[in-house]
Amino acid sequence: MATIEELIVEGKKKVHSTHAKMLLADLLDKNPLELLLHLDEEVTPEIEQHYYEQIQKLANQQPLQYVIGNVNFYGNTFIVNPSVLIPRFETEELVENTLNFIEYYFPQKDLKIIDLGTGSGCIGITLKKKLPTAQVTLVDISKEALTVAKENANLLDVEVTCVESDFWENITDRYHIVISNPPYLKTQEEVEKIVVQNEPHLALFAGEEGLDGYQKILSDIKDHLEDQYLVAFEIGFEQGDILKSMFQTIFTDALITVKKDLQGRDRMIFALKKKA
Ligand code: GLN
């Protein structure tokens, strides 16, 4: 039987050593640092075989998160597969900023929140974890994505409502918080190969200007907002100005803010309507 050290050495020949360690750690249910304390330990032939299969997938340019099958988002583990976008750091920032707005301006316990284009469910489920008394609705046009979102809600032990819908199409209710990380890439946008070749295009691309998703959501949004509301979208780094003017036309009496991500690029937009 091979030892942990031997497997890492072999894996490193095909993929980055960090990835090799992460894969093996995941298979052995340890964290990568713990692994280094057990280098002489032998692993079972089943694990060895599984490990080499996964190394091959990585070597074939599949994203680590799909190969491992999960990802950490805002402190919780979410299952992911190729039916859903892999949650990104920037989206954690959207959640963080939204939680700050909610803490300040929405003290009510019966908050209604909707996450449009929920994918893995990472945004809505994280909000429900943080705000257990809120009613959270997760929406996606993809049945496969909603299956993943439901699985994540179960694993993370939260109760949410899941609706298969093209944004507002099958939604009748009004909400205080409308949050979304819709597809926002231009059809022609240059995107890393590992992303275009593996992640769902439905989750990435949104027409010539990358604005189709926002246009769809915004066209009906007024029918779905409570008197006091927050609209929170993730945006492309070049879309701040255009979205700001779209927001100004629609949310005439709200406070509109474009925020940058940790890399200093426009990444989020918010419209906040406070109590009159
Ligand atoms: N809401 C999910 C996320 O932020 C999916 C987003 C998407 O598919 N565009 O990761």
Side-chain angles (χ1 to χ4, degrees):
M1 288 203 289
T3 65
I4 288 182
E5 182 166 19
E6 285 162 355
L7 291 192
I8 295 175
V9 170
E10 278 307 302
K12 267 173 25 181
K13 294 180 184 165
K14 288 197 163 177
V15 305
H16 198 283
S17 75
T18 320
H19 284 180
K21 284 179 218 156
M22 284 172 82
L23 274 189
L24 192 52
D26 180 71
L27 286 175
L28 296 170
D29 226 356
K30 295 187 177 357
N31 70 50
L33 282 176
E34 243 181 300
L35 206 62
L36 303 180
L37 302 174
H38 301 271
L39 287 175
D40 295 338
E41 259 174 41
E42 292 183 324
V43 305
T44 64
E46 292 76 41
I47 291 207
E48 178 174 347
Q49 189 193 344
H50 209 158
Y51 171 74
Y52 284 124
E53 282 166 11
Q54 294 199 336
I55 288 282
Q56 195 50 50
K57 288 185 183 169
L58 283 189
N60 292 343
Q61 299 295 310
Q62 291 187 28
L64 179 74
Q65 295 88 337
Y66 287 154
V67 175
I68 289 184
N70 64 61
V71 62
N72 187 288
F73 183 86
Y74 215 89
N76 294 306
T77 302
F78 286 81
I79 289 182
V80 288
N81 67 31
S83 314
V84 299
L85 191 82
I86 298 168
R88 305 295 206 268
F89 290 128
E90 292 86 339
T91 311
E92 293 185 313
E93 292 186 55
L94 174 74
V95 168
E96 171 83 18
N97 279 282
T98 301
L99 283 167
N100 289 341
F101 273 110
I102 293 176
E103 193 185 334
Y104 254 80
Y105 298 106
F106 298 86
Q108 60 267 52
K109 294 259 174 285
D110 55 351
L111 212 55
K112 283 185 285 175
I113 301 177
I114 190 162
D115 172 10
L116 297 172
T118 194
S120 62
C122 62
I123 297 177
I125 293 172
T126 305
L127 291 176
K128 176 69 182 174
K129 277 256 163 217
K130 292 280 167 190
L131 307 161
T133 65
Q135 294 173 37
V136 175
T137 303
L138 309 180
V139 172
D140 209 286
I141 192 174
S142 151
K143 214 190 259 325
E144 293 75 23
L146 271 188
T147 304
V148 176
K150 279 180 197 159
E151 214 174 329
N152 281 322
N154 285 338
L155 286 170
L156 292 167
D157 207 17
V158 295
E159 273 193 35
V160 290
T161 306
C162 295
V163 184
E164 189 183 326
S165 172
D166 186 2
F167 297 127
W168 299 115
E169 197 173 36
N170 302 324
I171 302 292
T172 47
D173 211 350
R174 291 179 178 270
Y175 298 85
H176 302 97
I177 314 292
V178 176
I179 188 164
S180 183
N181 173 25
Y184 57 69
L185 299 179
K186 298 178 188 158
T187 316
Q188 297 301 330
E189 197 139 335
E190 272 196 31
V191 188
E192 281 176 281
K193 220 163 146 195
I194 192 161
V195 175
V196 226
Q197 287 184 348
N198 292 286
E199 298 194 61
H201 287 196
L202 194 60
L204 295 168
F205 297 103
E208 214 156 307
E209 293 305 319
L211 296 171
D212 292 7
Y214 302 113
Q215 268 152 359
K216 256 190 181 170
I217 297 176
L218 291 173
S219 66
D220 295 336
I221 200 165
K222 280 286 178 87
D223 297 337
H224 297 285
L225 293 173
E226 289 285 350
D227 294 341
Q228 193 205 1
Y229 61 81
L230 175 74
V231 178
F233 292 165
E234 184 169 320
I235 60 172
F237 70 100
E238 293 173 319
Q239 293 171 332
D241 290 344
I242 177 81
L243 272 160
K244 191 167 186 183
S245 52
M246 284 161 80
F247 266 45
Q248 279 163 344
T249 322
I250 298 166
F251 309 113
T252 43
D253 52 358
L255 181 75
I256 295 162
T257 329
V258 173
K259 284 207 170 211
K260 295 190 190 304
D261 59 24
L262 291 173
Q263 306 198 45
R265 307 205 284 190
D266 285 350
R267 187 59 66 192
M268 298 152 253
I269 187 160
F270 301 91
L272 171 70
K273 177 72 175 68
K274 296 185 241 177
K275 265 212 182 77

